[in-house]
Amino acid sequence: MFKRKKKETINKHQFIQCLDGKNVFERSGLKRHFSDIKALISCPDDVLHQLYFTTLHGLAEFCQAMPFSAEKYNHPYGLLERQLKLAIAALKLRQGVLLPKNAGTETISAEESQWTYAIFSVALLHGIDKVESDRDIQFYFENGEPSGTWTPLAGSLYEENFYYDMKFKAVEAIAKKDVFMAAVIGRIVPVIAFRWLAENKVLFKQWWDSLLLPSQNDIGLLVEAAANKSGIHLSTNEIVLDSLNIFGKWLIKNIDICPENLFRIKKGIFVSSSLVDDFITERQAITGILLSKQIFFQELDKQNGLIMNNHDYFHQLSPKKFEDRRQLNGIVLNIDFLPNELQMLPIDQQFQNNVLL
C-alpha cells in the first residue's frame, strides 16, 4: 500500500504571504492611523469607510509588506507607512486652506469634501510609480512552486493563497506613467470616488495632473508642502528632476505679472534673472530645501532646456532703440521643450542679438 505523500508547505521565512487590505493593516500595526484620518475629515462614517478606508485597503493590497525603496523606508511595510504619513500630513495642511481659491463661500462649502478627498488620494499615491522600475517580485503557490512575475500594472499584489518574494533590481518600465497610474488608480481608488471627482472638471484636472507629475497647482503644492512638514524630505535631485516642466508651468502662471521679464525672442523664451530668483525662492519656501541657481541651470541644461551663450547660462539683451538704455539680464529657454502656451507667444522684435554678460 502506498502512503500518501505529505503536502509540502511554503517556507514562511523565505516568502511573504499575500493578504487582503484589512489583514495587511492588522499585521503591519498601521491601523492605528485610521483614527488619525477620521479625526481630520468631516464626513459621515459610511462615507469615511466607502471612500477613505476602501482606498487605504486598496493601497495595502497593492503594496503589501514592501519597503518604499532601497534607500528610504527600507523596512517591511515601509511603502505603506510612508504613504500614510504623507496623506495625514496633507490632511492637516488642508484644514487651513480654502479651496478652490478665489471662489465664493457657497462654492467652497459645496466642494469641500471633493477637494479633501482629492488631496488625500494624491498624497496617498505620491511616488508609488517607482515600484515599476526598481524591484523584481515573483509569485509562489502555497507549496513553494513559482507562479510567475508580478507586474504593478495589475494594480494589486494581493492574490488569495499566494506568496511572494521581492528583490530590489533595476527593471525596465513597460508603460508610461499615465498608463501605469491609470491602471493602479483603477484598483486602489473606488469607482464611486473616481466618478465623484470627475463631476468637477477643474478639480479633476488638478487631481490628475498632480498624480502624474510634480505640479504647480493648488493640490500639487499642498502635497509637496506636506512632504516637507512630515519629514519626507525630497532631495535636491528629486526637486529638480522635472525642473523644466515645473518651471514652464510656473512661468505660465506668472506670464501676465511681469511681461517685461518674460517674452519670446528669435532664439527662444527670454526669462529675466529676477524672475528666475522669484521661482527659486518660491520653490525653497515650498520644499524647505535650498536650491542653488547653478544646480537648477545644470538640470535645465541636461533636459535640453537652455540656449547657451558661449558656454554660459546668462544672456544680456539690449533694445534696438538707442534712447532706450535698458539692459535685461537672464536666461533663454529652448522653446521646443516648453508647454504650448509659451510656444505660442509672439516674437518681441525690440531687442538686439544676445550679448554675453
Side-chain angles (χ1 to χ4, degrees), residues 109-121:
S109 177
E111 298 181 6
E112 178 184 2
S113 55
Q114 282 181 315
W115 283 90
T116 299
Y117 179 80
I119 290 166
F120 164 80
S121 54

Side-chain angles (χ1 to χ4, degrees), residues 152-307:
L153 285 174
S156 178
L157 184 48
Y158 174 57
E159 292 287 346
E160 190 174 2
N161 298 324
F162 273 65
Y163 293 74
Y164 70 94
D165 176 52
M166 193 210 86
K167 293 182 176 64
F168 283 113
K169 175 184 176 183
V171 179
E172 184 178 357
I174 61 175
K176 293 182 178 180
K177 187 172 180 179
D178 56 347
V179 175
F180 173 84
M181 291 304 294
V184 171
I185 290 169
R187 289 295 297 268
I188 296 178
V189 175
V191 174
I192 188 173
F194 191 89
R195 291 173 179 167
W196 180 49
L197 294 177
E199 292 174 358
N200 188 327
K201 303 296 184 186
V202 174
L203 166 62
F204 190 82
K205 186 177 187 312
Q206 282 206 29
W207 180 71
W208 184 245
D209 287 347
S210 300
L211 286 168
L212 293 184
L213 289 170
S215 300
Q216 287 291 297
N217 60 40
D218 296 326
I219 295 177
L221 291 174
L222 191 148
V223 171
E224 193 170 341
N228 179 48
K229 287 187 175 295
S230 64
I232 304 176
H233 297 294
L234 301 177
S235 68
T236 300
N237 287 338
E238 288 174 310
I239 292 172
V240 298
L241 185 61
D242 194 40
S243 53
L244 184 59
N245 177 67
I246 295 173
F247 191 37
K249 291 184 176 180
W250 185 87
L251 291 174
I252 291 171
K253 286 181 62 177
N254 292 274
I255 200 168
D256 296 326
I257 298 176
C258 304
E260 70 279 9
N261 292 329
L262 173 65
F263 50 85
R264 185 176 172 185
I265 58 177
K266 290 181 179 179
K267 290 187 176 182
I269 299 292
F270 178 82
V271 183
S272 73
S273 295
S274 61
L275 208 55
V276 173
D277 290 339
D278 289 345
F279 170 76
I280 290 179
T281 299
E282 184 175 311
R283 296 296 295 173
Q284 290 176 172
I286 292 169
T287 64
I289 299 174
L290 293 177
L291 177 62
S292 82
K293 192 180 295 185
Q294 186 71 13
I295 291 177
F296 176 59
F297 290 155
Q298 288 174 357
E299 291 300 320
L300 290 180
D301 188 28
K302 286 179 184 178
Q303 298 168 49
N304 296 317
L306 280 182
I307 302 293

Side-chain angles (χ1 to χ4, degrees), residues 18 131-141 145-159 162-167 169-172 174:
C18 296
V131 305
E132 191 183 17
S133 58
D134 73 347
R135 65 199 68 196
D136 176 72
I137 296 178
Q138 299 295 323
F139 274 127
Y140 294 87
F141 291 109
E145 293 181 3
S147 177
T149 302
W150 175 70
T151 170
L153 285 174
S156 178
L157 184 48
Y158 174 57
E159 292 287 346
F162 273 65
Y163 293 74
Y164 70 94
D165 176 52
M166 193 210 86
K167 293 182 176 64
K169 175 184 176 183
V171 179
E172 184 178 357
I174 61 175

